[in-house]
Amino acid sequence: MADQIMLKFPSSSSFLLSLHFDNMKASRFRCLYAPAVLQRTSSASIPSSRTFATAAPEPLAREHKSSRPRTTFQDRLNNGPALSSFIPIPPTSLPASEALELRTALVGPAGRKKEITRLPQWLKTPIPDNSNYKKIKADLRGLNLHTVCEEARCPNISDCWGGNDKAAATATIMLMGDTCTRGCRFCSVKTSRAPPPLDPHEPEHTAEALSRWGLGYVVLTSVDRDDLADGGASHFAETIMKIKQKAPNMLVEALTGDYAGDLEMVERVAQSGLDVYAHNVETVEELTPMVRDRRAGFRQSLRVLDRAKKVSEGKLITKTSIMLGLGETEEQLWDTLKELRKVDVDVVTFGQYMRPTKRHMKVYEYVTPATFELWRQRALDMGFLYCASGPLVRSSYKAGEAFIENVLKKRAIQSGTTVPDARVDVADSITI
């Protein structure tokens, strides 16, 4: 065929056309007998990756069949070492003398190690993880509510939110947002000079959440809002009134700020229908400037508690809380309790100060449970209606349960009647 075609063209063109057909035959020979070359040629004609918008589809990857069973990270984790391999668990409980002994450890890089005090055993609490804890957390997030349990990193959150065999799970609601205008050296709540505006729906949402939980005793607290004209007193009072509308039998404790010393705002909250007015002095008078914000004061807190008691004509229960382990002396504590009794404070609680982060003031000492019990007895001897004292006691932790039980017994003794087991009949449905 090639010879016949060459006869039809001039000699000069015949040579070129013959050369062309020879090249075609050579290419055809390579295509038939060299499959490796074909693979490289075809793959090069369709690039594997393209930079323009209409990229060509990539060729399907071949399935890789392996006789070895597929493994996952979870399988490797389950077959690995247990937690006990890294954290030794003592087989038996320690004696009382060793359990109360503070232990130290050296931390830091070589040459710059420093000695720290380990957290005592009586201050260690379990990690929260149960259905009640998850339910309360879901309700709070769904209604855009905040709790002092989370914001202040309370160590009792697993017990309060998780509940136990004697009390239902509950949380302490923190009103007016999660940002405070003050910066106390012991508190881990966020601070800002200009916090976000108040949520106008918060009183209704709070009342709805508390009525849904079916509580008998609840504690409301709030951040300080010095950026507001009334310090948030009207917002606080509205929340209490909403709660009383939805649950008239619910006992409400309000743990308020000092409203920058504005006693009219104190009266507004005290007359809103609450049952217990709480305001914390936090520490002794001598340590107040180092512990609390400069806008707070020990004498100012005493005036707040005194006005709340007087405006209610003595019917309102007043309550305060003191932290131990900040460096206070025994004499200073005695003076503090005497000043509280002068303004007729009914309930006082003692708890161990625990450093939230390294940015906060250090713990001066870890007070033993025996010392807390000693101060509980001293407070009761001074005439306080009730005193909750212990390393993990906080102003709103189980105080309502114990307080109601104590009041029932005292009233029964005064009336000359027998009192039922308050912890069984009342405290099972009344918690804070």
Side-chain angles (χ1 to χ4, degrees), residues 38-39 45 56 80 94 134 156 175 234 243 251 253 297 304 307 313 325 335 394:
L38 176 63
Q39 275 188 337
S45 63
L94 296 174
K134 296 176 182 178
N156 303 308
L175 303 176
S234 301
I243 294 173
L251 299 176
E253 175 183 330
V304 169
R307 179 58 63 90
E313 298 180 354
D335 293 339
R394 296 297 181 264

Side-chain angles (χ1 to χ4, degrees), residues 53-125:
T54 56
E58 297 183 359
L60 296 176
R62 294 182 179 179
E63 295 184 0
H64 177 70
K65 296 182 179 180
S66 175
S67 59
R68 188 176 64 179
R70 183 176 298 176
T71 60
T72 62
F73 174 77
Q74 186 176 2
D75 296 332
R76 296 196 299 270
L77 184 63
N78 293 335
N79 296 330
L83 181 64
S84 58
S85 302
F86 304 96
I87 304 176
I89 301 176
T92 57
S93 58
L94 296 174
S97 58
E98 296 184 18
L100 297 179
E101 181 182 355
L102 296 180
R103 303 182 183 276
T104 60
L106 294 176
V107 297
R112 292 186 297 172
K113 290 186 178 295
K114 60 179 181 179
E115 186 179 28
I116 63 170
T117 303
R118 293 287 188 186
L119 193 68
Q121 289 293 331
W122 64 81
L123 289 176
K124 295 183 180 180
T125 57

Side-chain angles (χ1 to χ4, degrees), residues 110-321:
R112 292 186 297 172
K113 290 186 178 295
K114 60 179 181 179
E115 186 179 28
I116 63 170
T117 303
R118 293 287 188 186
L119 193 68
Q121 289 293 331
W122 64 81
L123 289 176
K124 295 183 180 180
T125 57
I127 298 175
D129 185 21
N130 54 46
S131 58
N132 285 333
Y133 174 86
K134 296 176 182 178
K135 179 181 181 299
I136 290 180
K137 189 171 185 177
D139 286 346
L140 292 170
R141 297 293 84 80
L143 295 173
N144 193 28
L145 298 177
H146 305 279
T147 65
V148 73
C149 317
E150 295 174 295
E151 302 301 331
R153 304 186 183 186
C154 181
N156 303 308
I157 191 170
S158 60
D159 193 7
C160 287
W161 288 26
N164 52 43
D165 57 343
K166 294 183 179 179
T170 184
T172 301
I173 303 296
M174 187 168 69
L175 303 176
M176 296 188 283
D178 61 349
T179 306
C180 185
T181 54
R182 299 188 182 182
C184 298
R185 295 186 61 196
F186 65 89
C187 184
S188 66
V189 176
K190 292 186 295 185
T191 61
S192 174
R193 293 182 178 178
L198 299 181
D199 180 8
H201 304 291
E202 187 178 49
E204 182 68 28
H205 289 171
T206 302
E208 175 63 26
L210 296 177
S211 62
R212 182 185 303 175
W213 294 341
L215 303 177
Y217 193 106
V218 65
V219 175
L220 302 176
T221 186
S222 71
V223 293
D224 283 297
R225 293 299 299 262
D226 297 297
D227 59 316
L228 303 176
D230 64 347
S234 301
H235 190 86
F236 211 131
E238 182 185 358
T239 304
I240 296 173
M241 290 186 286
K242 291 281 187 182
I243 294 173
K244 288 294 184 177
Q245 290 174 2
K246 290 183 177 291
N249 296 327
M250 181 181 294
L251 299 176
V252 179
E253 175 183 330
L255 176 59
T256 73
D258 56 16
Y259 301 111
D262 191 343
L263 299 182
E264 292 184 5
M265 299 302 104
V266 175
E267 294 179 2
R268 182 174 301 179
V269 177
Q271 295 174 335
S272 61
L274 77 166
D275 301 283
V276 178
Y277 192 104
H279 174 70
N280 294 339
V281 296
E282 306 296 0
T283 185
V284 298
E285 184 173 9
E286 290 78 2
L287 296 180
T288 296
M290 286 75 73
V291 175
R292 302 174 68 185
D293 186 90
R294 59 180 178 81
R295 287 164 285 188
F298 183 82
R299 295 292 166 179
Q300 183 168 276
S301 294
L302 290 179
R303 289 192 293 269
V304 169
L305 292 167
D306 184 42
R307 179 58 63 90
K309 172 67 75 172
K310 290 180 178 179
V311 75
S312 65
E313 298 180 354
K315 298 178 182 179
L316 200 61
I317 301 296
T318 52
K319 174 182 171 184
T320 193
S321 181

